[in-house]
């Protein structure tokens, strides 16, 4: 395993406990996982656009060290989920039950799809979205920069960015797997489920405050999350491109909820991290990125209209809103912008 991955994983654990006062271990690990993904995508963007002449493994190692230092500076805010909170264990139980059901559903699909021995099998559920994911990751393994051509349309311009696919390719290159990465697709799906679903419960904790939940309320939380997952069950049990970004998107929502209740410099720091996550999502998937920019604009509008805030803060968020709108208009045309693949 690449040493850069280990360093970045340690930084992500520090960052998770510093960003949020978790009430559940599973949300702590979920945020650490999606934080790792976000940091990895950022470093992938650097390796494939700005620092293409440098060895990638050194960039990931150096970036991991930088993130580790930055999160260590925030260590005074780090809290272990169970410290000083009564009943945290039962909060984790309800998350575990939801995970058990969804992972079992995912396993039931994976066992009759994907690689069966040495042959690839697709019983209609591993569809064109999965083929697109596989093709673009495979192409990214053979490409130094970001892929710009759509292999399904005569190598015309891609309809969406490929930062996600480049990130997956870079990870498997870093661990020495390479072209056989597709055999690990079911494992990638299970891991992403374990990271993503707890973030729904993090939102409950952020919106509900530091209350001691009884079993009735916990069951209601689990039922609500289960209902949401049932409505979009195909999204959560078989791998497609935006599936691997939903956790990062929920992390963005959590950051915006936190930033909304903060004041002064703390608000700027949290909103700044959220802005960076939103830009990564915009460079990784058109639909998820558009939703991310919309949420960031909502926070900026709320800050602008809040007369209890200082004028300087309101003006700063006015500038953020203008930048979001201008950046979105520049990035979204079909032709490439900022040297990156554009949107349809």
């Amino acid at each position: 395993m690449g040493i850069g991955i280990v360093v970045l994983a340690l930084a992500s654990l520090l960052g998770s406990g510093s960003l949020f006062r978790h009430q559940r271990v599973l949300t702590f690990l979920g945020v650490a996982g999606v934080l790792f993904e976000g940091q990895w995508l950022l470093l992938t963007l650097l390796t494939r656009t700005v620092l293409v002449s440098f060895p990638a493994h050194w960039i990931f190692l150096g970036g991991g060290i930088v993130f580790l230092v930055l999160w260590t500076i925030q260590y005074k805010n780090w809290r272990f989920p169970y410290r000083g909170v009564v009943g945290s264990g039962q909060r984790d139980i309800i998350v575990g039950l939801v995970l058990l059901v969804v992972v079992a559903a995912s396993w039931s699909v994976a066992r009759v799809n994907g690689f069966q021995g040495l042959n690839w099998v697709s019983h209609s559920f591993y569809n064109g979205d999965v083929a697109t994911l596989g093709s673009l990751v495979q192409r990214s393994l053979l490409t130094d920069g970001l892929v710009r051509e759509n292999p399904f349309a005569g190598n015309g311009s891609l309809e969406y960015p490929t930062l996600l696919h480049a990130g997956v390719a870079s990870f498997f290159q870093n661990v020495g797997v390479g072209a056989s990465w597709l055999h690990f697709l079911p494992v990638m799906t299970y891991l992403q489920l374990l990271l993503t679903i707890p973030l729904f419960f993090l939102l409950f904790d952020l919106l509900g405050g530091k209350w001691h939940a009884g079993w009735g309320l916990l069951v209601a939380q689990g039922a609500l999350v289960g209902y949401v997952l049932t409505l979009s069950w195909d999204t959560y049990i078989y791998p497609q491109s935006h599936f691997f970004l939903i956790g990062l998107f929920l992390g963005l929502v959590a950051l915006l909820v936190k930033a909304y209740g903060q004041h002064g410099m703390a608000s700027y720091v949290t909103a700044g991290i959220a802005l960076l996550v939103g830009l990564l999502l915009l460079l990784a998937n058109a639909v998820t990125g558009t939703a991310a920019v919309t949420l960031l604009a909502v926070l900026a509008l709320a800050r602008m209209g809040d007369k209890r805030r200082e004028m300087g803060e309101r003006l700063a968020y006015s500038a953020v809103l203008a930048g979001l709108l201008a950046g979105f208009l520049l990035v979204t045309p079909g032709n490439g912008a900022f040297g990156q693949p554009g949107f349809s």
Side-chain angles (χ1 to χ4, degrees):
M1 179 181 293
I3 187 65
I5 293 176
V6 176
V7 174
L8 202 58
L10 291 174
S12 302
L13 290 170
L14 276 175
S16 177
S18 300
L19 278 175
F20 299 103
R21 298 292 180 89
H22 294 279
Q23 300 179 34
R24 318 179 202 229
V25 166
L26 288 174
T27 63
F28 166 71
L29 295 176
V31 170
V34 298
L35 191 59
F36 177 92
E37 293 174 341
Q39 293 170 150
W40 188 271
L41 287 180
L42 179 59
L43 294 175
T44 297
L45 182 63
L46 293 176
T47 61
R48 294 191 175 234
T49 55
V50 180
L51 305 175
V52 290
S53 59
F54 293 87
H57 64 278
W58 287 114
I59 297 173
F60 284 110
L61 175 59
I65 293 173
V66 170
F67 282 122
L68 184 62
V69 171
L70 291 175
W71 291 121
T72 301
I73 294 173
Q74 298 294 318
Y75 183 74
K76 63 175 188 257
N77 298 322
W78 198 92
R79 295 290 185 275
F80 183 69
Y82 285 1
R83 188 169 73 178
V85 179
V86 178
S88 293
Q90 71 183 39
R91 291 191 179 93
D92 276 314
I93 288 173
I94 199 69
V95 184
L97 290 174
V98 175
L99 282 171
L100 182 63
V101 172
V102 180
V103 170
S106 179
W107 175 82
S108 70
V109 172
R111 65 185 292 269
V112 292
N113 289 278
F115 275 102
Q116 309 294 323
L118 298 176
N119 299 315
W120 175 266
V121 179
S122 179
H123 290 282
S124 79
F125 212 78
Y126 273 20
N127 59 13
D129 292 333
V130 182
T132 301
L133 170 70
S135 298
L136 291 176
V137 171
Q138 202 74 9
R139 184 62 188 170
S140 294
L141 287 168
L142 306 172
T143 306
D144 292 332
L146 295 177
V147 177
R148 298 172 182 271
E149 296 80 22
N150 185 348
F152 301 103
N155 286 332
S157 297
L158 275 170
E159 296 175 346
Y160 47 83
T162 57
L163 178 58
L164 168 68
H165 310 95
V168 174
S170 296
F171 180 85
F172 282 108
Q173 286 173 329
N174 202 277
V175 297
V177 172
S180 62
W181 73 273
L182 200 58
H183 289 82
F184 296 92
L185 195 55
V187 177
M188 291 168 57
T189 306
Y190 301 144
L191 287 175
Q192 196 63 41
L193 289 170
L194 294 176
L195 300 181
T196 300
I197 292 176
L199 269 70
F200 285 102
F201 293 89
L202 174 65
L203 294 178
F204 284 127
D205 295 339
L206 289 173
L207 295 171
K210 295 182 179 180
W211 35 261
H212 301 308
W215 277 110
L217 191 53
L218 288 173
V219 170
Q221 291 178 2
L224 182 57
V225 173
Y227 176 71
V228 171
L229 297 178
T230 301
L231 291 178
S232 55
W233 73 290
D234 60 321
T235 302
Y236 283 90
I237 64 174
Y238 82 109
Q240 48 193 305
S241 295
H242 69 270
F243 162 78
F244 293 100
L245 294 170
I246 295 174
L248 198 59
F249 178 79
L250 290 174
L252 169 66
V253 177
L255 286 168
L256 293 176
V257 170
K258 179 182 177 182
Y260 184 76
Q262 291 179 313
H263 296 267
M265 184 55 67
S267 173
Y268 289 128
V269 171
T270 305
I273 297 172
L275 181 61
L276 183 58
V277 172
L279 292 176
L280 286 174
L281 288 170
L282 190 61
L283 289 170
N285 185 273
V287 177
T288 310
T290 300
V293 170
T294 303
L295 288 180
L296 287 163
V298 168
L299 176 68
L301 281 170
R303 281 288 190 268
M304 288 168 53
D306 189 351
K307 296 181 179 180
R308 296 171 298 177
R309 305 277 171 175
E310 294 182 0
M311 183 57 67
E313 185 175 358
R314 295 171 67 186
L315 289 174
Y317 279 96
S318 300
V320 169
L321 179 61
L324 284 171
L325 295 176
F328 184 74
L329 291 174
L330 286 172
V331 174
T332 51
N335 295 326
F338 299 134
Q340 309 299 332
F343 295 107
S344 170

